[in-house]
Amino acid sequence: MEPTRDRAWATLNRHTTSEPLLKHALAVEASVRAYASKYGEDEEFWGMTALLHDFDWEMHPTLDQHPQDGAPILREEGWPEELIEAILSHAEHLDLPRDTLLKKALFACDELSGFVVACGYVRPTGLDGLEVKSVKKKLKQPSFAAGVNRDDVTKGAEELGVDLDEHIAFVIAALQPIADELGLRTAADAA
Ligand SMILES: [Fe+2]
Ligand SMILES: [Fe+2]
């Protein structure tokens, strides 16, 4: 099987109907692809991995199943082991080594992409003009996007070896081009 973005999107949609979950996949894909580009790595491959990282969440919505029970489904479809291993490694509870740049980037972008999107939803101009300091302020408010694990956000940046402020700025910039797909308003809407 030739892994392609179209195939990854098809696999994701075969198992996922929830709009927020599809948007989460698209957001993490955009951030991880941006890091692939920054590091001169394979954008298509990194993007597919990110797109599929939570593909089984709808059928396996607990950590005693996700993502480990999704892996055999991906294997059956013929996805490369490198992609499957990276997906497995985003799960803290599996305690797998994040020993490649792709694994580190996926983990670093997973929670933060969702958080940045959440910040964008509550602003009239979405991600346009969203500043790092206001993202950090919201990270300190436990009630805001309470599902996002703050420790994973800081740990992700540390493991990737990037400064947290720069990481946040990088993810904001990576998500801006797909703001529309994510259902975010832009400065143009507010004008
Ligand atoms: Fe996950
Ligand atoms: Fe995720």
Side-chain angles (χ1 to χ4, degrees):
M1 187 263 265
E2 174 70 24
T4 63
R5 203 267 177 190
D6 283 351
R7 282 213 170 95
W9 181 245
T11 294
L12 174 65
N13 280 272
R14 204 156 37 244
H15 299 284
T16 307
T17 56
S18 144
E19 266 310 305
L21 212 44
L22 291 171
K23 285 180 177 147
H24 172 66
L26 288 169
V28 181
E29 177 197 27
S31 299
V32 167
R33 275 192 80 114
Y35 269 114
S37 165
K38 178 183 172 179
Y39 295 141
E41 298 283 342
D42 187 337
E43 282 184 56
E44 193 79 359
F45 189 79
W46 282 36
M48 288 184 264
T49 307
L51 207 51
L52 287 171
H53 82 282
D54 280 338
F55 93 99
D56 69 326
W57 182 251
E58 220 165 81
M59 68 181 133
H60 300 145
T62 56
L63 296 182
D64 61 325
Q65 290 190 294
H66 166 78
Q68 57 272 32
D69 291 356
I73 299 170
L74 295 176
R75 271 191 199 107
E76 185 130 323
E77 283 193 15
W79 292 95
E81 204 54 33
E82 188 189 345
L83 174 145
I84 296 168
E85 268 183 33
I87 288 176
L88 286 170
S89 79
H90 90 272
E92 278 287 81
H93 63 281
L94 297 181
D95 209 18
L96 295 166
R98 281 186 282 271
D99 50 7
T100 67
L101 210 43
L102 168 58
K103 291 177 186 178
K104 293 179 209 284
L106 177 60
F107 182 70
C109 293
D110 187 7
E111 295 289 272
L112 184 60
S113 298
F115 192 81
V116 167
V117 171
C119 292
Y121 283 138
V122 298
R123 299 180 72 253
T125 59
L127 302 176
D128 292 343
L130 174 61
E131 291 184 47
V132 170
K133 64 170 190 244
S134 83
V135 174
K136 288 185 91 176
K137 204 168 139 195
K138 287 201 160 62
L139 279 169
K140 292 197 187 101
Q141 298 168 7
S143 61
F144 184 82
V148 171
N149 184 320
R150 272 54 173 179
D151 291 340
D152 286 357
V153 171
T154 38
K155 190 177 175 188
E158 269 167 32
E159 285 185 10
L160 188 58
V162 291
D163 171 77
L164 183 59
D165 286 31
E166 282 167 29
H167 183 41
I168 293 169
F170 188 88
V171 165
I172 295 171
L175 295 176
Q176 263 159 349
I178 63 156
D180 216 34
E181 281 173 81
L182 298 176
L184 287 158
R185 285 170 295 210
T186 64
D189 296 317

